[in-house]
């Protein structure tokens, strides 16, 4: 009988969560680099470059890859010949590890979990509870697969009950464009097929714990196609069809939307075909370890030499902009797809701040002293706490779509000049931007540490009780952004994928 000490389990979970906060899996980095080398759209290529540069910086600085340090999901497979020391349940042991990792003063991770989700939605302050799946298996070891899943990608999960004769690939191809860019492509799609609806969802999530191996599968298809099973054939078909959509990195249009397709399946009812698709973003974070009773799990740090040497190159359409004295006339010259380097003072605010701003203004109370959005930009962000000599911790953008319902109000009532976030905006918001001659700028999701280095000063100006959702004022210098929606309402998230879908078709025709 193997005895697993309580503290060994807790420490192993905590160490793994710290580890994955700043180390991408190397197989993922290699796949991303391959996509970078192949990419032909300059905007998408620059986005991938930022992701790769950010990844290396995070590995060097041991700071989070993304400011959204995720909801923790753990698969624990316990051997039948294993006994745990102490009285804590597996859920309690995992949560103790999560608590230790997220409150680590050397690298504090952002607490994003709220209790009472249909009510007060109060932050639990330590990122617990986690989501734990326990399975009893043969053997005398404990296998743990652990991931930190960002909300932007988790929110784009899709579930469907197809007819048995329906095409799964058709459904995926139709559904992926509806997910927008909020899941921060390029990433992976995990697909669970069969069982029941909840079983399909668990399989989809577990499939994302696997390494990127689509290139090996492509070689197998070329050399030994007769050895492919149904799931492998489906992975290859979906990979080709999704990348042919031209969505590209960050939804800007390009050759690579997905780096791999993962599928897990199991038997199902004869009348059913449950399918769940869960995307993993460009901040893919997971680790695997085993405990055999001999002590804590050892995680081997990758060598920095395994990261590619990437540098960003400025093009003709890169403009330096001082936001302190900007006018709508200045912004009128910006075109959708242009790259900007912002300097000056910007305010921040996301979901909770927008809700409170709306309530204060509509009630007649007005904004707190010192909060003035007139002629200013707002950055949708919830940063990680700073450590050591940092001005602010990793501070990448959050999904802008969630602020759509407040955008017309903010532009109409506060004099807001423009917005910075990630992913696309809804059509009503795009129309409002054009009506007010505003702009929406996109920062790269998955480049949070890189973005934080452009922030030279930071202070909380209002709503300190909201923690990471407080309103900050940032002094930025050369903060990289792309004009996603210009003052005429031209939208790169519509135009880019449409253009590159056609280009990919033309490339395929030439190859044929």
């Amino acid at each position: 009988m193997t005895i697993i000490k309580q503290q060994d389990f807790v420490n192993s979970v905590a160490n793994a969560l710290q580890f994955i906060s700043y180390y991408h899996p190397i197989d993922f980095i290699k796949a991303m680099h391959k996509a970078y080398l192949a990419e032909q759209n300059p905007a998408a290529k620059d986005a991938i470059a930022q992701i790769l540069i950010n990844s290396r910086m995070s590995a060097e600085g041991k700071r989070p890859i993304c400011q959204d340090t995720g909801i923790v999901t753990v698969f624990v497979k316990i051997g039948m010949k294993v006994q745990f020391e102490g009285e804590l349940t597996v859920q309690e042991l995992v949560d103790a590890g999560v608590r230790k990792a997220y409150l680590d003063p050397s690298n504090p991770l952002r607490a994003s979990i709220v209790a009472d989700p249909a009510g007060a939605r109060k932050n639990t302050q330590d990122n617990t509870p986690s989501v734990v799946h326990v399975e009893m298996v043969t053997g005398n070891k404990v296998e743990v697969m652990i991931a930190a899943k960002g909300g932007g990608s988790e929110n784009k999960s899709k579930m469907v009950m197809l007819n048995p004769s329906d095409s799964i690939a058709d459904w995926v191809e139709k559904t992926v464009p509806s997910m927008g860019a909020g899941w921060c492509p390029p990433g992976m799609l995990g697909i669970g097929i069969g069982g029941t609806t909840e079983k399909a969802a668990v399989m989809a999530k577990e499939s994302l714990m696997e390494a990127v191996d689509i290139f090996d599968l492509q070689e197998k298809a070329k050399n030994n196609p007769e050895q492919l099973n149904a799931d492998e054939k489906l992975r290859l078909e979906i990979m080709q069809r999704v990348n042919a959509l031209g969505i590209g990195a960050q939804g800007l249009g390009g050759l690579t939307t997905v780096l791999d397709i993962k599928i897990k399946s199991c038997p199902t009812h004869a009348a059913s075909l449950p399918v769940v698709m869960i995307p993993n973003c460009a901040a893919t974070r997971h680790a695997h370890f085993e405990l055999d009773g001999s002590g804590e799990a050892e995680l081997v740090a990758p060598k920095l030499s395994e990261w590619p040497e990437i540098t960003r190159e400025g093009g003709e359409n890169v403009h330096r902009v001082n936001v302190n004295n900007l006018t709508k006339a200045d912004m009128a010259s910006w075109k959708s797809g242009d790259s900007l380097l912002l300097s000056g003072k910007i305010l921040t605010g996301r979901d909770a701040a927008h809700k409170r701003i709306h309530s204060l203004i509509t009630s007649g109370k007005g904004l707190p002293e010192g909060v003035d959005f007139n002629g200013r930009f707002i950055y949708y962000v919830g940063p990680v706490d700073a450590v050591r000599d940092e001005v602010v911790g990793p501070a990448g953008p959050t999904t802008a779509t969630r602020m759509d319902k407040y955008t017309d109000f903010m532009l109409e009532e506060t004099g807001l000049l423009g917005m910075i976030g990630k992913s696309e905006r809804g059509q009503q918001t795009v129309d409002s931007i054009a009506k007010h001659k505003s702009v929406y700028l996109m920062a790269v999701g998955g480049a949070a540490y890189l973005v934080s280095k452009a922030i030279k000063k930071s202070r909380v100006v209002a709503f300190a009780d909201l923690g990471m959702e407080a309103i900050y004022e940032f002094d930025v210098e050369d903060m990289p952004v792309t004009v996603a929606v210009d003052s005429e309402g031209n939208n790169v998230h519509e135009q880019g994928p449409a253009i590159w879908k056609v280009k990919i078709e033309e490339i395929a025709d030439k190859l044929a």
Side-chain angles (χ1 to χ4, degrees), residues 45-62:
K45 193 178 186 77
D46 181 64
I48 298 173
Q50 289 189 50
I51 291 167
L52 287 168
I53 292 168
N54 178 79
S55 179
R56 185 185 178 94
M57 288 174 63
S58 295
E60 289 175 329
K62 290 185 169 50

Side-chain angles (χ1 to χ4, degrees), residues 46 86 112 150 161 163 173 265 297 322 336 343-344 372 391 418 467 496 499 504:
D46 181 64
S112 302
M161 185 64 75
N163 291 319
E173 184 179 11
S265 64
N322 186 335
S336 175
S343 295
D372 184 2
V391 170
I499 290 169
I504 291 169

Side-chain angles (χ1 to χ4, degrees), residues 122-143:
K122 185 177 180 181
N123 198 298
T124 63
Q125 302 299 320
D126 59 9
N127 224 57
T128 66
S130 53
V131 178
V132 182
H133 302 279
V134 179
E135 181 182 355
M136 299 302 295
V137 297
T138 59
N140 58 357
K141 295 180 180 180
V142 175
E143 179 187 356

Side-chain angles (χ1 to χ4, degrees), residues 124-341:
T124 63
Q125 302 299 320
D126 59 9
N127 224 57
T128 66
S130 53
V131 178
V132 182
H133 302 279
V134 179
E135 181 182 355
M136 299 302 295
V137 297
T138 59
N140 58 357
K141 295 180 180 180
V142 175
E143 179 187 356
V144 179
M145 298 184 292
I146 190 165
K149 189 72 161 58
S153 60
E154 185 69 10
N155 291 350
K156 300 299 182 179
S157 303
K158 301 293 181 182
M159 177 181 289
V160 68
M161 185 64 75
L162 296 175
N163 291 319
S165 60
D166 289 343
S167 165
I168 295 170
D170 283 353
W171 176 77
V172 172
E173 184 179 11
K174 179 183 71 175
T175 303
V176 168
S178 72
M179 291 158 51
W183 60 283
C184 288
M188 299 191 294
L189 296 178
I191 301 173
I193 304 169
T196 53
T197 49
E198 80 280 6
K199 176 64 175 178
V202 171
M203 288 192 296
K205 182 63 65 67
E206 187 175 4
S207 75
L208 291 171
M209 302 284 190
E210 298 172 2
V212 176
D213 66 353
I214 196 74
F215 309 118
D216 294 335
L217 188 57
Q218 289 168 341
E219 283 297 310
K220 180 180 177 181
K222 185 165 61 175
N223 299 322
N224 300 291
E226 72 283 353
Q227 294 182 9
L228 295 176
N229 62 37
D231 286 355
E232 290 173 332
K233 291 176 183 177
L234 188 56
R235 285 178 64 193
L236 293 170
E237 180 183 0
I238 292 174
M239 178 86 167
Q240 186 276 323
R241 289 173 70 166
V242 171
N243 281 333
L245 293 170
I247 293 168
Q250 304 291 299
L252 295 168
L255 300 180
T256 303
T257 302
V258 287
L259 301 173
D260 200 350
I261 302 294
K262 295 298 182 185
I263 291 177
K264 288 183 77 70
S265 64
C266 73
T268 190
H269 192 283
S272 304
L273 183 55
V275 181
V276 174
M277 176 167 60
I278 304 177
N280 239 10
C281 64
T284 290
R285 296 160 295 198
H286 60 86
H288 303 206
F289 62 83
E290 286 187 347
L291 295 172
D292 60 6
S294 62
E296 296 175 17
E298 182 180 357
L299 297 168
V300 180
K303 297 177 181 178
L304 289 175
S305 60
E306 298 195 70
W307 272 263
E309 293 285 350
I310 300 288
T311 57
R312 297 182 62 220
E313 298 177 5
E316 294 179 358
N317 66 339
V318 178
H319 313 289
R320 277 190 161 82
V321 174
N322 186 335
V323 298
N324 290 342
N325 51 20
L326 200 62
T327 67
K328 289 187 177 182
D330 297 326
M331 298 192 310
S333 65
W334 302 350
K335 301 301 179 187
S336 175
D338 283 357
S339 296
L340 308 179
L341 294 172

Side-chain angles (χ1 to χ4, degrees), residues 123 350-354 356 462-471:
N123 198 298
R350 43 176 289 165
D351 309 64
H354 277 75
R356 191 173 292 185
F463 309 157
D465 61 297
L466 295 180
M468 62 92 173
E469 293 212 52
I471 296 178

Side-chain angles (χ1 to χ4, degrees), residues 58-125:
S58 295
E60 289 175 329
K62 290 185 169 50
R63 292 292 275 142
I65 294 164
C66 180
Q67 80 289 339
D68 184 349
T69 50
I71 182 169
V72 176
T73 302
V74 187
F75 289 86
V76 184
K77 298 185 179 181
I78 304 171
M80 296 291 285
K81 296 180 180 179
V82 168
Q83 181 177 334
F84 283 87
E85 173 196 71
E87 300 298 321
L88 295 181
T89 66
V90 175
Q91 177 75 52
E92 290 169 335
L93 288 169
V94 171
D95 284 346
V98 172
R99 192 173 296 112
K100 182 176 180 179
Y102 278 72
L103 299 179
D104 186 332
S106 68
N107 181 40
L109 307 179
R110 198 184 80 182
S112 302
I113 304 306
V114 295
D116 191 16
R121 296 183 66 86
K122 185 177 180 181
N123 198 298
T124 63
Q125 302 299 320

